[in-house]
Amino acid sequence: MNLLIKYVVMTIISCMYVELIGYLSHRYIIHEGIIGDSIRVTHYCHHEKKYPYNNFESKIYRTAHDTWPWILIIIIFAYIPIYLLFKLNIYDKYVMIYLLLLTTLHLIFISYIHDSYHIKNHWLNKYEWYKNHKKYHHIHHLDDKNYGITNYFYDHIFNTFSDKIVPKKNNFNGLEASCDDRIKSLDFISNWHFI
């Protein structure tokens, strides 16, 4: 296979895989709490305390320090499998390095786009595609829909996409918590924002 085609195919597969990890973890781990509430409370703080549906934007990003669960999820479901596939001689070290860098850049991009949705007058607001995605993310803060961040491909596949503004629902299956309830020992990981 031509080297360029090989890397294009790997890029597409990697991006779709990272988006799938993001979708499944956002829906089932972060919102539904299938592995408990410890991780979910950090995202609850983002949804219900820092950016409730009626105060969705601010002049500067008000962090809920909820980035670290995503980093742990990427380490477990992306970085470790990439390394294990290398150790099994599925590909060489150059492919492994490429996939690790691509995954990291994808995570940074997703984080940047997500944080930008919550910033008033963000420079991307001049683009129609961005305004639509921002609306879909606002709907996510209202309803158990739109778990994607930079695209909603898997929301369409799993029938969780919506473009309709609805009255606020409880997106965390009855969870009630405060920002003080979240795990704070890894806050330093969440202090980087690129806006």
Side-chain angles (χ1 to χ4, degrees), residues 45-58 60-63 115 118-119 141:
C45 178
H46 167 73
H47 265 254
E48 305 298 329
K49 305 298 181 189
K50 297 292 184 171
Y51 287 101
Y53 73 97
N54 58 353
N55 191 10
F56 184 72
E57 296 177 294
S58 61
I60 60 169
Y61 187 75
R62 299 182 300 245
T63 186
D115 294 356
H118 295 285
I119 302 296
H141 277 246

Side-chain angles (χ1 to χ4, degrees), residues 17-55:
Y17 180 68
V18 169
E19 291 291 335
L20 180 62
I21 292 169
Y23 174 87
L24 293 174
S25 60
H26 195 184
R27 182 174 179 183
Y28 294 108
I29 295 172
I30 304 297
H31 277 270
E32 291 190 18
I34 63 169
I35 62 171
D37 290 342
S38 295
I39 290 176
R40 170 165 103 121
V41 167
T42 63
H43 196 60
Y44 174 90
C45 178
H46 167 73
H47 265 254
E48 305 298 329
K49 305 298 181 189
K50 297 292 184 171
Y51 287 101
Y53 73 97
N54 58 353
N55 191 10

Side-chain angles (χ1 to χ4, degrees), residues 57 116-117 119-128 130-131 134:
E57 296 177 294
S116 74
Y117 292 151
I119 302 296
K120 288 181 182 175
N121 303 318
H122 192 274
W123 69 271
L124 287 170
N125 277 319
K126 62 185 172 184
Y127 300 106
E128 198 61 36
Y130 178 82
K131 287 191 251 183
K134 187 174 192 170

Side-chain angles (χ1 to χ4, degrees), residues 19-20 22-28 31-32 47 132-133 135-149 151-166 169 171:
E19 291 291 335
L20 180 62
Y23 174 87
L24 293 174
S25 60
H26 195 184
R27 182 174 179 183
Y28 294 108
H31 277 270
E32 291 190 18
H47 265 254
N132 286 332
H133 282 231
K135 173 187 170 191
Y136 304 151
H137 187 65
H138 185 237
I139 291 167
H140 171 70
H141 277 246
L142 295 169
D143 197 359
D144 289 325
K145 301 288 184 183
N146 302 345
Y147 294 98
I149 300 294
N151 75 66
Y152 297 93
F153 176 77
Y154 290 109
D155 286 293
H156 286 285
I157 288 178
F158 296 115
N159 200 29
T160 55
F161 178 78
S162 176
D163 60 357
K164 295 177 179 43
I165 302 288
V166 297
K169 295 181 181 175
N171 294 19

Side-chain angles (χ1 to χ4, degrees), residues 3 19 74 77 126 164 176:
L3 190 61
E19 291 291 335
I74 289 295
F77 294 107
K126 62 185 172 184
K164 295 177 179 43
E176 291 292 331

